[in-house]
Amino acid sequence: MEESPTITISQETHQSPYHLLFQSLLSIPIKHYWIGLATLLIIFLYNLFECHFIWDFITGFRGQSVSLTFDSFSSSCKEIVSNCPSLHKRYLVTPWLASPHLQTLFLAFVDKGPAFNYKRKIFHASDGGTIALDCLFSSDVHGDGFNMNNDMPKNDIKSPIMVVIPGLSSDSASSYIKHLAYNSAKDEWNVVVVNHRGLGGVSVTTDWFYNAGWTKDVREVVRYLRNEYHDIPIFLVGTSIGANVLVKYLGEEGNDTLISGAVAICNPWDLLINDRFISRRVVQKIYDRAIAGGLQGYAQLHQARMARLANWDGIKKSRRVRDFDNHATCIIAKYETADTYYRQNTSTNYLRDVSVPLLCINALDDPICTREAIPWDECRLNKNVIIATTKHGGHLAFYEGFTASRLWWVRAVNEFLHCLPHRRFHFQLKTEVRDLLSPFTLTMDQGPFVNVAEDGTVAAAGNELARDNVAGKSSESPGPAHKQASPVTEDDQHSQIITEERPNDSNQKPAVVQREAKEEHGIDSYAVVSHIRRRVDQLSRQTRRSLWLLVYIAVVTTWPLAGSALLYFLRKGKKIPSPAAPKR
């Protein structure tokens, strides 16, 4: 019997798996680690700055459509929008500024705007305040030359006047204001920039400083321009905080306003919601600190007067806009708290009383003014208001073109306002008519208070009682800035008349569009239709991905029942015999 060969197996020395892993990592070239770290950094910054270049590249740089929100029954709004190409065409962001933060920072620190010279007029308010009016008339801009005469023409003005209200800590030298003024003057507008008190190189001459709700200066400037130029249409354009002042002014004036139309750019809408938003994330806190630094610089310019009226030590230590408002704005303007100041000066509360055509432009990715404060429903309840929103744009930027030499919203402003001087819209505003919709009116965004969820989401909370109390106080003792509403008869509560006159056509009579909302059996049919349309519009504001997700869930959840019913009717219609039992 043969012996089987002996097989010797050598056992290698056992090694720790971590030791083997460490040796493998050491065998990787060091440059690969640098490439990996750079890739992770790029991904981090791409998401931190909310870039969208990759998506724009995938979609072929087609741009984005402009979403419009207004009363679907308003024929005048539809006509105005149809004449504004920028509002129904696509907006494409400058490719290398495909981020709201990059656009906002580029506007603040890089873009200097067009080069030109204003004409200045020092305006003295009734309380002794000094305001610098910087003007650029259409006659000053002809080709490459400028009229350097500092006198404001009076009898030579034929074109409409555009009054501009800058944003917080901004004046006529800000780049976006210069873009608006120069391009509007080239487009045959006479631009008047109303610098806030203490800005534009002018000292504060009274114990009153401007704030987010100070409308007295705008009111007096508009009256002055109306007295100087009787037959020239006047329009208003407000940016950021200036847009909040603009909407508040229009609501206070109501039907007594002296202007023909207005545009609000990047309006914060609800100051309290934006105060919560700007302190929520790290990026927003950086903006909050930067804006507070600008306010501190403004206070430094007027330290002697500011230190006497406010808490100077608190102003120097302010790290947030809210801190500055607590130590300066609330003390000077006699507000109890910062929240009180924000609630009383929120422009959404005045939107329902706007009686002239108003275009409001906001970017949904605005890093300073959150989309959560945009008053979608209040806009639909006023036939004069149009809200245009874009998915991208940043704060007051909206750059377009490869060289980023143009601002999209400047072109939209000129197109919208050019639709208005050629016709006069007389809106007979009956706010009581909208009260008939109270059973269907949403409580969301009606009150000036907010709810903060556990995840940090900020939303407006209904507070009709507070609103009624404020309305009651204003009606009992109206201030100089508030106007009493005209009395409305009982019959007027069931009708709303919109008249559009075309003065250039003498042979055509003014067209009168009249709609009556009659109640039958205690239910207002117009209210029901409006309620359904609001719900449909709310659903349409959801993203396309969310809509397809809802469709998918609906199909999956209803298919077992729907499929069984469909199979039953198919068998019944074709009389398909049941399969016979197999024979044994």
Side-chain angles (χ1 to χ4, degrees):
M1 184 174 183
E2 296 181 358
E3 295 181 358
S4 60
T6 304
I7 301 175
T8 305
I9 302 175
S10 60
Q11 297 181 354
E12 297 182 356
T13 305
H14 177 72
Q15 294 184 357
S16 172
Y18 296 102
H19 180 71
L20 296 175
L21 179 61
F22 182 71
Q23 288 182 342
S24 301
L25 293 176
L26 289 179
S27 63
I28 300 175
I30 190 66
K31 64 178 182 180
H32 292 180
Y33 285 103
W34 288 111
I35 294 174
L37 289 176
T39 303
L40 292 177
L41 180 61
I42 291 174
I43 295 175
F44 173 76
L45 294 177
Y46 187 89
N47 289 277
L48 178 66
F49 286 97
E50 303 176 44
C51 299
H52 47 85
F53 176 82
I54 296 178
W55 179 253
D56 292 343
F57 177 78
I58 293 175
T59 57
F61 296 100
R62 295 180 60 250
Q64 55 193 279
S65 59
V66 181
S67 177
L68 299 175
T69 303
F70 55 89
D71 189 347
S72 57
F73 290 104
S74 177
S75 58
S76 58
C77 287
K78 294 179 181 179
E79 181 182 357
I80 293 174
V81 169
S82 64
N83 293 323
C84 300
S86 297
L87 297 182
H88 52 76
K89 290 185 178 180
R90 305 180 73 86
Y91 160 61
L92 176 61
V93 181
T94 299
W96 49 276
L97 290 176
S99 163
H101 306 288
L102 292 180
Q103 289 208 63
T104 304
L105 295 176
F106 186 85
L107 178 68
F109 299 106
V110 180
D111 190 1
K112 302 303 180 183
F116 60 90
N117 295 315
Y118 290 105
K119 295 178 180 179
R120 169 158 292 189
K121 176 178 178 58
I122 301 300
F123 178 80
H124 298 283
S126 59
D127 63 345
T130 304
I131 305 170
L133 303 181
D134 288 333
C135 310
L136 184 66
F137 292 91
S138 59
S139 57
D140 299 336
V141 183
H142 295 288
D144 297 330
F146 292 91
N147 184 0
M148 302 302 296
N149 185 9
N150 290 326
D151 295 332
M152 291 179 61
K154 181 175 180 180
N155 298 325
D156 297 336
I157 294 234
K158 303 297 181 182
S159 303
I161 297 176
M162 177 189 296
V163 179
V164 181
I165 311 173
L168 191 65
S169 301
S170 298
D171 54 17
S172 59
S174 300
S175 58
Y176 65 93
I177 297 294
K178 294 172 70 176
H179 275 287
L180 175 63
Y182 180 74
N183 288 280
S184 299
K186 289 184 64 176
D187 205 15
E188 302 301 326
W189 287 92
N190 299 307
V191 183
V192 178
V193 182
V194 183
N195 294 287
H196 299 293
R197 296 191 180 198
L199 291 175
V202 177
S203 301
V204 176
T205 55
T206 63
D207 291 345
W208 193 269
F209 293 80
Y210 83 98
N211 56 58
W214 181 249
T215 59
K216 183 178 179 181
D217 291 346
V218 177
R219 181 175 291 103
E220 293 194 7
V221 169
V222 170
R223 290 176 180 174
Y224 162 76
L225 294 175
R226 175 52 62 211
N227 291 332
E228 290 291 317
Y229 309 99
H230 303 282
D231 301 327
I232 304 299
I234 299 177
F235 300 86
L236 285 181
V237 178
T239 58
S240 193
I241 286 296
N244 188 83
V245 173
L246 180 148
V247 176
K248 185 173 182 286
Y249 161 76
L250 294 179
E252 291 174 348
E253 293 292 291
N255 294 327
D256 297 330
T257 183
L258 301 177
I259 68 171
S260 303
V263 182
I265 309 297
C266 295
N267 188 354
W269 291 110
D270 194 309
L271 302 180
L272 188 57
I273 291 180
N274 279 277
D275 172 68
R276 303 293 191 266
F277 169 77
I278 206 171
S279 61
R280 184 187 304 171
R281 299 173 55 193
V282 176
V283 177
Q284 272 68 42
K285 290 180 180 179
I286 297 176
Y287 285 107
D288 194 6
R289 180 67 185 90
I291 298 174
L295 292 173
Q296 287 177 323
Y298 170 74
Q300 289 282 353
L301 296 175
H302 315 286
Q303 179 177 353
R305 192 178 297 270
M306 185 74 75
R308 177 173 57 86
L309 298 174
N311 180 6
W312 183 251
D313 292 335
I315 293 175
K316 292 191 298 182
K317 297 178 181 178
S318 297
R319 294 296 178 267
R320 295 184 53 202
V321 176
R322 185 183 185 86
D323 297 337
F324 183 88
D325 290 334
N326 277 321
H327 299 299
T329 307
C330 293
I331 297 176
I332 296 175
K334 305 296 188 299
Y335 290 104
E336 296 179 356
T337 63
D339 284 355
T340 303
Y341 163 60
Y342 297 147
R343 291 187 183 110
Q344 293 186 9
N345 294 287
T346 290
S347 58
T348 302
N349 301 332
Y350 299 85
L351 189 61
R352 62 177 296 177
D353 295 325
V354 174
S355 60
V356 295
L358 171 64
L359 173 64
C360 308
I361 298 177
N362 283 86
L364 299 182
D365 64 351
D366 193 321
I368 298 176
C369 301
T370 175
R371 59 187 293 178
E372 300 169 12
I374 299 178
W376 310 99
D377 295 320
E378 286 84 348
C379 167
R380 294 187 184 90
L381 295 179
N382 190 324
K383 300 182 67 64
N384 309 324
V385 182
I386 302 173
I387 293 184
T389 57
T390 59
K391 188 176 181 181
H392 306 296
H395 186 69
L396 297 174
F398 297 89
Y399 281 104
E400 63 178 356
F402 187 79
T403 60
S405 58
R406 304 188 306 272
L407 305 184
W408 170 83
W409 64 266
V410 172
R411 180 159 50 91
V413 166
N414 284 280
E415 290 177 358
F416 175 79
L417 295 183
H418 267 303
C419 296
L420 306 181
H422 302 291
R423 57 178 65 86
R424 294 192 300 270
F425 293 91
H426 300 283
F427 292 87
Q428 186 175 354
L429 183 64
K430 306 297 184 182
T431 57
E432 286 78 7
V433 173
R434 295 301 186 183
D435 294 338
L436 297 174
L437 307 182
S438 56
F440 306 98
T441 303
L442 297 176
T443 58
M444 177 70 71
D445 293 333
Q446 286 188 350
F449 301 97
V450 297
N451 289 332
V452 183
E454 295 180 355
D455 58 351
T457 303
V458 181
N463 186 21
E464 297 180 1
L465 180 59
R467 181 184 292 274
D468 294 338
N469 293 338
V470 174
K473 292 180 181 179
S474 61
S475 61
E476 292 174 3
S477 57
H482 296 271
K483 300 293 182 181
Q484 287 284 358
S486 58
V488 182
T489 62
E490 183 178 357
D491 295 336
D492 291 338
Q493 294 181 355
H494 300 281
S495 63
Q496 183 175 10
I497 302 176
I498 306 172
T499 305
E500 174 184 344
E501 295 184 5
R502 303 180 183 271
N504 296 333
D505 191 355
S506 59
N507 298 326
Q508 186 177 4
K509 296 182 179 180
V512 179
V513 181
Q514 183 175 0
R515 183 181 68 249
E516 297 183 356
K518 298 182 179 180
E519 297 183 0
E520 297 181 1
H521 305 289
I523 300 179
D524 188 358
S525 59
Y526 173 72
V528 175
V529 175
S530 299
H531 173 66
I532 296 175
R533 284 181 176 270
R534 284 199 301 271
R535 292 297 186 269
V536 173
D537 291 337
Q538 286 177 354
L539 183 61
S540 65
R541 289 204 307 266
Q542 303 297 324
T543 62
R544 183 173 300 178
R545 183 180 302 174
S546 300
L547 291 177
W548 280 112
L549 181 60
L550 291 176
V551 173
Y552 173 76
I553 294 174
V555 172
V556 171
T557 55
T558 59
W559 177 249
L561 181 60
S564 300
L566 180 62
L567 183 60
Y568 171 77
F569 285 110
L570 287 177
R571 287 182 175 179
K572 185 177 180 181
K574 296 183 178 181
K575 297 182 179 180
I576 300 176
S578 59
K583 297 182 180 180
R584 294 183 179 179

